[in-house]
Amino acid sequence: MWRRPQGPWTRHFKRVLSLTLDDWSDSDIDSMIEVGGNSYANSIYEAFLPKDHPKPKPDSPMEYRTKFIRAKYETQDFLKPSLRISSKAGLESTNSLNSVDNSFSSTSRKHAPEDTREFVGQLNITVVKGSGLAVRDMLTSDPYVVLSLGEQKAQTTVKASDLNPVWNEVLNLSVPRNYGPLKLEVYDHDTFSADDIMGEAEIDLKPMITAAMAFGDPSRHADMQIGRWFMTRDNCLLSDSIVNISSGKVKQEVYLKLQNVESGEMELELEWARLD
């Protein structure tokens, strides 16, 4: 059992089962926190979780929960084999993931041209299609999509009178060093009045960018799964979103349920491009 000294991130102590991971120092725990929390860590440690190996639920037997925890962290069964480490490495995997951004940051500050220091890569986003979009003009709508990342925005063309539009348009956005979620908004184009909102969604970029940086040059790897953004009650995913290396590129298919609207789904494909 370990106990974390009081801090602003917690209000009480929790007990954990020892998994022969040695003692955790304050710096080890801080590193784990800096990794980004459970969702961020799970996108790596559960990237290869089989469908026939479900996560424990609150009412699952302690024996099953213990077995799952050991498989996840001690033997790292759901992690890519080449990233697995022995438990005595003392959180090397966590620290190595955490150090990716740090090493990239320091290298970029020293060697990158002045105009690229603030960016870590580029996203090529294919807006594939929308399905069952909301009606805003009597019987139909004239939808278009706006993507936002920080101060940047990109927009698709307008699809006239179409509630199931197919765009297949590629929009490009640079990824700043301190990036947040990719924001998607769908609007109905109006000629004589303000455009009406037809729903919105947010895309968590951490699973994709973290995996892409950890694996380096994707052209050196065979096709494989390298990460996953999990569907939860708190996000807009219709299903888990898998991060893959495909034909030498890092890609992620995303299926979204639009929020704050009566209906509508969107399909996107993200592609990560490094800044050389």
Side-chain angles (χ1 to χ4, degrees):
M1 180 183 76
W2 59 265
R3 293 190 176 184
R4 175 66 161 90
Q6 256 186 332
W9 62 278
T10 184
R11 294 182 179 179
H12 58 276
F13 298 130
K14 291 185 177 180
R15 301 181 64 173
V16 298
L17 293 177
S18 172
L19 301 181
T20 66
L21 292 179
D22 302 323
D23 294 329
W24 285 30
S25 66
D26 283 354
S27 61
D28 290 333
I29 299 169
D30 289 337
S31 294
M32 193 63 173
I33 295 170
E34 289 170 8
V35 165
N38 287 341
S39 297
Y40 193 11
N42 286 345
S43 69
I44 301 297
Y45 281 97
E46 295 179 7
F48 289 79
L49 181 65
K51 291 184 178 180
D52 59 353
H53 202 137
K55 295 182 66 172
K57 298 180 180 180
D59 59 350
S60 296
M62 179 59 71
E63 181 180 358
Y64 181 74
R65 285 196 282 175
T66 301
K67 182 179 179 181
F68 183 90
I69 292 170
R70 287 186 179 275
K72 179 177 176 179
Y73 293 112
E74 186 173 7
T75 60
Q76 300 169 1
D77 292 349
F78 316 134
L79 188 69
K80 185 183 184 309
S82 63
L83 294 180
R84 295 174 187 168
I85 59 169
S86 65
S87 61
K88 292 184 179 180
L91 293 180
E92 286 180 10
S93 62
T94 298
N95 291 332
S96 66
L97 290 173
N98 186 53
S99 67
V100 169
D101 286 336
N102 294 335
S103 62
F104 190 94
S105 175
S106 60
T107 301
S108 297
R109 284 196 295 270
K110 293 178 181 178
H111 304 294
E114 184 69 27
D115 60 347
T116 63
R117 287 182 183 177
E118 60 181 312
F119 299 110
V120 296
Q122 178 174 296
L123 276 180
N124 304 320
I125 306 114
T126 302
V127 180
V128 180
K129 64 180 181 180
S131 303
L133 300 184
V135 174
R136 289 293 181 267
D137 296 329
M138 295 298 290
L139 299 176
T140 187
S141 297
D142 304 317
Y144 65 92
V145 176
V146 176
L147 297 177
S148 305
L149 184 60
E151 299 298 319
Q152 305 170 81
K153 288 192 175 183
Q155 179 179 320
T156 67
T157 58
V158 176
K159 294 294 183 180
S161 302
D162 196 345
L163 299 180
N164 299 286
V166 176
W167 281 282
N168 282 321
E169 295 181 22
V170 180
L171 305 179
N172 309 112
L173 295 170
S174 297
V175 180
R177 188 169 306 284
N178 297 316
Y179 61 87
L182 174 65
K183 297 183 179 181
L184 177 148
E185 297 171 303
V186 182
Y187 288 92
D188 168 53
H189 175 69
D190 287 321
T191 303
F192 302 109
S193 62
D195 293 348
D196 299 314
I197 187 72
M198 297 174 61
E200 58 191 355
E202 287 193 350
I203 300 168
D204 185 359
L205 297 177
K206 279 187 177 180
M208 181 183 205
I209 296 176
T210 303
M213 288 184 170
F215 277 80
D217 186 355
S219 65
R220 297 178 177 271
H221 300 281
D223 290 1
M224 66 177 78
Q225 177 183 321
I226 62 173
R228 184 186 308 189
W229 177 26
F230 293 93
M231 179 186 70
T232 69
R233 291 178 296 178
D234 299 324
N235 62 36
C236 55
L237 281 178
L238 288 167
S239 60
D240 287 357
S241 180
I242 306 301
V243 182
N244 292 307
I245 291 179
S246 177
S247 301
K249 297 180 179 180
V250 176
K251 296 184 177 182
Q252 181 179 5
E253 292 183 345
V254 182
Y255 298 91
L256 304 169
K257 180 176 177 60
L258 293 174
Q259 306 294 297
N260 302 318
V261 69
E262 59 269 30
S263 65
E265 299 176 0
M266 290 294 304
E267 178 182 344
L268 307 178
E269 183 179 278
L270 312 184
E271 180 182 311
W272 170 258
R274 299 190 310 161
L275 290 182
D276 295 323

